[in-house]
Amino acid sequence: MSNTTMNQAEEPVVLVKKYKYSRHFILNKPRDLNCIWMKNVHILYPYLKVWEKSENAKLIVVSGGENKRKIFSAGGDIKTIAELLSKETPSATDEVITSLGKFYELLQFIGTMNTPIVAIMDGIIMGAGSGLIGQAPFRIATENTVYAMPETIIGSFTDTSTSFMLSRYDGNLGLYLGLTGHRLQAEDTLFCGLASHYVHSSNLEAMQKELNELENPKHESINRVINSYAVKVDHVSSNYTLFGEKMNVIESCFKFDSVEEIIKALMKDGRKFAHECLKAISWGSPTSLKVMLECIRRAEHLSFNECIRMEFRVWQRMPYTHDLKEGMMGHVAGKRARKWSPKKLEDLDIEDDIRVKIFDALETHQLYFSSEADFSVNPYGHYSLPTDKEIMDVKIRYNLKEYEDLLTWFEASRPQKFGIKQKVQRFMEKQGINKNNSQLTAKL
């Protein structure tokens, strides 16, 4: 094994480790929550291009290192972006947009690579951190994983390719996470779709050792190794909240196509969780809330590459909004109250202020992808828990009407995978099956 450092004068923001057939990236800026910006891109992109062509680099592992604060990445470098935007000069704004363009090109390359990628999310993962690994075939959560998209409180939106991911979560869960910024922990990150596997942190070292020892790592052999260290089907969740009343509120109240309608539905619902959602939404920038919803709704009908291009178009206009600067500078300053402008949702016209001025405004910058590969459904989704759409497709295709038949099919397609029972049970309950039916009692 050899260690590569990029700059002897200062600690590199990314550590690179080389094994016989695997390569490791370790995000190495824990004091700044492993935030991601151009220094990361300048290291990651060239290495990934080389490794994608290499006969020796057959597996790539990305992690946040073994830091005491348990951080994968808390997102983009807000401090640097805020400092640039505060200058209010064309050159500084152009630097932000150009830098984000390079980051988007990196994200598109990662999302379409043939070389298998394993992301170990043993800690906090937010915003750009989740975008970095959102399309990796193997995304491992642990009991330390904390996931959130708190973009609206900094005046931003679902960027860095996350619109693709969030728009494909079940039951408007992605829109709920984007509008509220609420956190998910541990097993919940598996059930929502961020993670593909759930492994206790005490097993990570042994798992990585075995992965490094694979002579010819392929997707299937990598999956077998990870599954051997993942929790078993009888695992009892410490954090499983995405069911019952909570999911009923999310599915019924976040199904609308305007923020105003969602708020109205939450107010009408009146349950405690609905009020928690209302409070969280009220903290966000009205502009960001409307951009967030428009972004996710558009992403539902776009491919991965199209989502990236859409987000980059939005970023070419967002630096000129009041709320992005206000939100990011307020974040850097600490707990300073934000002064949003406009202050109210009703002061923003969805057509004039959001679609015309932001989403469909003329582009000033272009993206240049290294790969033309693209997809509308993650090609490695079969390593994760099934989505509601996949369960419905299987149910119809094979005419599986009974719970036992549907469960048997998915248990055979994903042997010994924790969470299958819960996902199939939840799906069948939404189809009108009695929750108290003894056949539908999965151990949570």
Side-chain angles (χ1 to χ4, degrees):
M1 182 187 76
S2 66
N3 291 332
T4 303
T5 58
M6 302 302 297
N7 189 334
Q8 299 297 325
E10 62 180 67
E11 189 75 4
V13 298
V14 178
L15 298 178
V16 180
K17 293 186 177 182
K18 300 179 183 179
Y19 298 83
K20 187 174 182 181
Y21 291 116
S22 68
R23 303 292 185 266
H24 288 221
F25 279 134
I26 301 172
L27 302 179
N28 188 44
K29 203 177 179 183
R31 290 184 179 179
D32 293 324
L33 306 181
N34 281 341
C35 60
I36 300 170
W37 197 236
M38 292 314 296
K39 285 185 178 180
N40 304 79
V41 176
H42 289 155
I43 297 173
L44 292 171
Y45 208 175
Y47 269 109
L48 288 172
K49 286 181 177 179
V50 170
W51 292 346
E52 178 75 338
K53 300 173 184 176
S54 172
E55 290 296 322
N56 293 322
K58 297 183 177 182
L59 165 64
I60 298 170
V61 178
V62 185
S63 72
E66 298 179 1
N67 55 77
K68 294 180 180 180
R69 302 179 71 181
K70 292 297 178 185
I71 300 162
F72 177 80
S73 171
D77 191 344
I78 297 174
K79 183 179 179 181
T80 296
I81 298 174
E83 288 174 351
L84 287 168
L85 293 179
S86 68
K87 295 180 181 179
E88 298 186 340
T89 64
S91 61
T93 302
D94 186 75
E95 183 178 343
V96 170
I97 297 171
T98 301
S99 296
L100 281 163
K102 296 302 178 185
F103 188 28
Y104 273 116
E105 290 169 1
L106 166 65
L107 294 174
Q108 191 273 343
F109 187 76
I110 292 174
T112 56
M113 287 182 69
N114 293 314
T115 307
I117 298 176
V118 176
I120 300 176
M121 306 178 294
D122 186 30
I124 296 170
I125 179 166
M126 298 182 183
S130 62
L132 185 71
I133 52 80
Q135 303 312 311
F138 308 102
R139 307 172 307 280
I140 299 171
T142 74
E143 74 280 6
N144 301 313
T145 305
V146 178
Y147 169 47
M149 292 294 299
E151 312 305 303
T152 63
I153 62 172
I154 59 169
S156 189
F157 67 105
T158 46
D159 60 351
T160 59
S161 82
T162 59
S163 66
F164 180 86
M165 180 171 60
L166 290 170
S167 66
R168 279 142 176 88
Y169 287 169
D170 289 337
N172 294 300
L173 181 58
L175 188 56
Y176 151 74
L177 291 171
L179 293 180
T180 65
H182 280 175
R183 295 185 175 192
L184 297 181
Q185 295 178 265
E187 291 95 339
D188 271 350
T189 64
L190 176 73
F191 288 108
C192 84
L194 172 71
S196 62
H197 298 74
Y198 186 78
V199 178
H200 195 275
S201 62
S202 61
N203 290 326
L204 292 178
E205 184 177 352
M207 182 195 73
Q208 290 186 75
K209 184 175 185 296
E210 188 167 343
L211 287 172
N212 291 335
E213 291 173 352
L214 287 173
E215 285 295 324
N216 188 28
K218 302 288 186 183
H219 286 90
E220 286 301 321
S221 59
I222 293 167
N223 187 52
R224 283 195 295 272
V225 170
I226 296 173
N227 278 338
S228 70
Y229 289 95
V231 297
K232 306 310 176 187
V233 293
D234 59 353
H235 170 72
V236 178
S237 299
S238 59
N239 281 281
Y240 178 37
T241 66
L242 298 179
F243 67 100
E245 180 180 298
K246 185 173 182 177
M247 277 304 298
N248 290 338
V249 171
I250 292 171
E251 290 175 351
S252 64
C253 295
F254 287 83
K255 65 183 179 182
F256 300 101
D257 292 330
S258 77
V259 182
E260 291 91 336
E261 288 179 290
I262 291 171
I263 290 174
K264 184 178 179 180
L266 290 167
M267 293 176 67
K268 184 177 180 181
D269 183 279
R271 282 175 280 189
K272 179 182 178 182
F273 178 66
H275 282 292
E276 291 173 355
C277 291
L278 284 168
K279 184 178 180 180
I281 291 172
S282 71
W283 292 337
S285 152
T287 300
S288 289
L289 292 168
K290 290 204 170 187
V291 170
M292 176 85 69
L293 188 145
E294 182 76 8
C295 195
I296 291 177
R297 287 291 183 246
R298 289 192 180 205
E300 292 171 355
H301 310 288
L302 301 177
S303 69
F304 178 63
N305 287 357
E306 288 169 341
C307 283
I308 285 179
R309 292 190 185 281
M310 172 189 66
E311 291 177 11
F312 188 51
R313 285 199 306 273
V314 173
W315 253 112
Q316 292 173 47
R317 304 309 307 163
M318 288 298 283
Y320 300 100
T321 64
H322 168 274
D323 285 3
L324 182 67
K325 288 177 278 191
E326 174 66 16
M328 289 195 167
M329 292 174 192
H331 176 82
V332 172
K335 296 183 178 181
R336 176 173 69 79
R338 314 298 198 265
K339 296 180 180 179
W340 306 125
S341 180
K343 294 181 179 180
K344 299 178 181 179
L345 289 165
E346 54 265 35
D347 293 333
L348 287 157
D349 183 86
I350 187 65
E351 183 174 295
D352 295 339
D353 298 315
I354 304 301
R355 292 171 183 161
V356 172
K357 292 182 180 179
I358 296 178
F359 278 85
D360 295 303
L362 294 177
E363 297 180 73
T364 58
H365 296 67
Q366 298 293 322
L367 293 175
Y368 301 95
F369 294 156
S370 298
S371 165
E372 291 304 316
D374 195 10
F375 52 86
S376 292
V377 178
N378 188 312
Y380 303 107
H382 55 286
Y383 295 124
S384 302
L385 291 178
T387 63
D388 284 353
K389 183 180 184 304
E390 183 182 353
I391 298 174
M392 178 61 81
D393 288 345
V394 168
K395 182 177 184 293
I396 294 172
R397 184 182 304 139
Y398 300 105
N399 194 28
L400 302 176
K401 298 180 180 179
E402 300 297 326
Y403 167 75
E404 295 92 338
D405 296 334
L406 202 56
L407 179 61
T408 298
W409 194 96
F410 279 102
E411 286 182 333
S413 71
R414 295 163 169 87
Q416 298 299 308
K417 190 171 186 66
F418 167 71
I420 293 293
K421 285 185 178 180
Q422 289 85 343
K423 288 286 288 190
V424 174
Q425 174 179 320
R426 172 66 186 168
F427 173 84
M428 295 298 280
E429 286 176 350
K430 288 194 291 184
Q431 299 301 302
I433 302 296
N434 189 337
K435 293 182 181 179
N436 295 321
N437 189 326
S438 60
Q439 294 176 327
L440 298 183
T441 305
K443 192 175 183 181
L444 302 182

